Amino acid sequence: MSFSAVIVAAGSGRRAGGAKQWRALGGRPVVRWSVQALLEAGAQEAVVVIPEGADDELAAALDGLSGWRGVVGGATRAASVRAGLAALTCGPDQPVLIHDAARPLLDRAVIGRLLEALEGADGALPGLAVADSLRRADDGAVGDSVARDGLVRAQTPQAFRRQLVEAAHAAWTGAEPPTDEAEAVRAAGGRVAVVAGDPRLMKLTYAEDFAMAEALIPRRTHVGLGFDAHRWGPGGAVWLCGVEVPHDQTLIGHSDADAGLHALTDAILGAIGEGDIGDHFPPTDPQWKGASSDRFLSHAAGLVAARGGVIVHVDVTLICERPKVKPHRQAMRERIAALLDLPLQAVSVKATTTEAMGFTGRGEGLAAQAAATVELPVTA
């Protein structure tokens, strides 16, 4: 069934710490989740209602998507919905899904149930049965219980024919604006059906809700591998896994030649399919001469965060005859943990020799290999 959509994103987000519609969730702005879900489900047009002066934020949040346009909302949710409805180009009988951007985890199955229910009712909304015991509170003390039979937690989107919901808003005479479109349509004599909602369709109201929503996003585990090697040269210390280790030689490289962090950076980049360290920090670029490899690792970690990902575990193996790594291993683990904001138990640093074989065995150089485990949101 063809439909249009109005996404309400005009709130201030005061209880969530401000402007929650632009905040990142799973690597995407909150408002993008809903707009993209509705467009991918077949919305012919999507009107996004925003605060005045937020055009640039909306354009950045929806970059790459087509089929949407923004409109400035009003002082209340009801006023914003009316502004969104007025901006539609569809006909009066077109189904319209009205959705709160603060409910980002919208599933196509919910949209399908709403459109199906609208064929036999004046409107439809998703609802969840109330499972918890309900009690009144009286001055901080438990009061009378409230029967929960027949109660549902109303969610959005809510579906109506355009002409009907516009008429219901126009006919509203309550002292306060309607809390949602279902209330306005019912007050006008309409019947609003309830379809099965989705627990993941939670509303982001408080700052702590973002952590819950992040946990609900499906994720896939990715593993990346990295390898690096540098030759020995004259010097008095060597950088390994972010720690300066006294030694009678140093590793030669364009940067600080920290083979451990280079291998780990490549492992993280590999886990997210972002090339290798040379793509991001070319050795031909003079700005990276002598640079701390801490910067390279932090950059890779930032790319993971920008994708909404989480680094779960890293493992580095240093391959050399000298220097002895064991006395410095704990400091190396702590440094990597600090750079990646990981608990210490999620960081492993090991060392081995090649029993005097090969270039590391002959003392010509040092090698490092690394593995990184990253969880990324499933986007398709």
Side-chain angles (χ1 to χ4, degrees):
M1 180 188 295
S2 172
F3 70 96
S4 298
V6 172
I7 301 95
V8 184
S12 65
R14 175 178 51 82
R15 289 177 293 180
K20 60 188 173 186
Q21 63 270 54
W22 317 127
R23 283 182 56 178
L25 177 71
R28 288 187 276 170
V30 165
V31 68
R32 187 184 182 96
W33 283 88
S34 300
V35 175
Q36 188 168 336
L38 288 160
L39 290 172
E40 290 179 350
Q44 290 188 328
E45 59 180 334
V47 172
V48 188
V49 190
I50 58 174
E52 186 173 0
D55 300 81
D56 291 344
E57 288 90 339
L58 180 63
L62 303 185
D63 183 43
L65 297 180
S66 59
W68 63 270
R69 60 185 174 280
V71 63
V72 175
T76 65
R77 182 188 182 281
S80 292
V81 169
R82 290 195 297 269
L85 291 168
L88 293 171
T89 62
C90 62
D93 291 329
Q94 173 88 331
V96 177
L97 268 59
I98 302 169
H99 185 53
D100 294 335
R103 297 182 185 271
L105 303 183
L106 174 59
D107 187 79
R108 183 176 295 198
V110 174
I111 296 172
R113 291 194 290 268
L114 290 168
L115 294 174
E116 183 179 356
L118 192 57
E119 294 181 356
D122 298 309
L125 64 78
L128 294 175
V130 177
D132 296 327
S133 174
L134 298 178
R135 301 281 184 144
R136 299 189 186 279
D138 185 12
D139 290 332
V142 174
D144 296 338
S145 62
V146 178
R148 62 190 178 194
D149 295 342
L151 294 180
V152 296
R153 293 156 48 199
Q155 300 178 314
T156 71
Q158 299 183 0
F160 310 90
R161 304 282 176 179
R162 178 184 181 181
Q163 185 178 46
L164 187 147
V165 70
E166 286 184 321
H169 269 288
W172 179 260
T173 58
E176 298 292 334
T179 57
D180 60 11
E181 285 57 61
E183 185 177 14
V185 169
R186 287 191 66 253
R191 175 180 174 271
V192 180
V194 179
V195 304
D198 187 340
R200 295 171 298 176
L201 200 50
M202 61 176 290
K203 186 176 182 180
L204 301 177
T205 302
Y206 303 101
E208 55 267 29
D209 294 337
F210 279 79
M212 177 67 76
E214 287 281 1
L216 294 174
I217 296 173
R219 296 177 183 272
R220 185 174 291 123
T221 300
H222 300 247
V223 177
L225 302 177
F227 178 85
D228 191 45
H230 288 282
R231 61 186 174 88
W232 289 114
V238 59
W239 284 96
L240 293 174
C241 294
V243 174
E244 189 175 27
V245 177
H247 190 45
D248 56 7
Q249 291 179 298
T250 192
L251 292 174
I252 305 302
H254 187 64
S255 64
D256 63 5
D258 188 331
L261 292 192
H262 291 184
L264 183 52
T265 299
D266 265 354
I268 294 172
L269 292 173
I272 61 175
E274 286 286 349
D276 60 34
I277 195 170
D279 295 327
H280 297 263
F281 305 97
T284 54
D285 190 335
Q287 70 171 309
W288 307 122
K289 184 172 178 60
S292 168
S293 296
D294 290 5
R295 298 172 64 182
F296 305 160
L297 186 63
S298 295
H299 172 77
L303 292 177
V304 174
R307 294 266 297 273
V310 178
I311 300 173
V312 177
H313 186 271
V314 296
D315 184 15
V316 180
T317 300
L318 300 174
I319 307 167
C320 60
E321 299 295 325
R322 293 189 311 127
K324 294 298 182 184
V325 172
K326 187 174 182 179
H328 309 282
R329 186 168 59 188
Q330 186 69 6
M332 293 175 183
R333 294 179 65 208
E334 290 173 355
R335 181 58 182 156
I336 292 173
L339 288 170
L340 298 180
D341 194 23
L342 286 175
L344 191 62
Q345 60 267 31
V347 177
S348 171
V349 174
K350 309 187 299 295
T352 189
T353 71
T354 56
E355 299 293 337
M357 297 181 291
F359 75 92
T360 60
R362 293 189 297 268
E364 297 171 5
L366 177 147
Q369 61 184 24
T373 303
V374 175
E375 290 185 349
L376 292 176
V378 177
T379 57

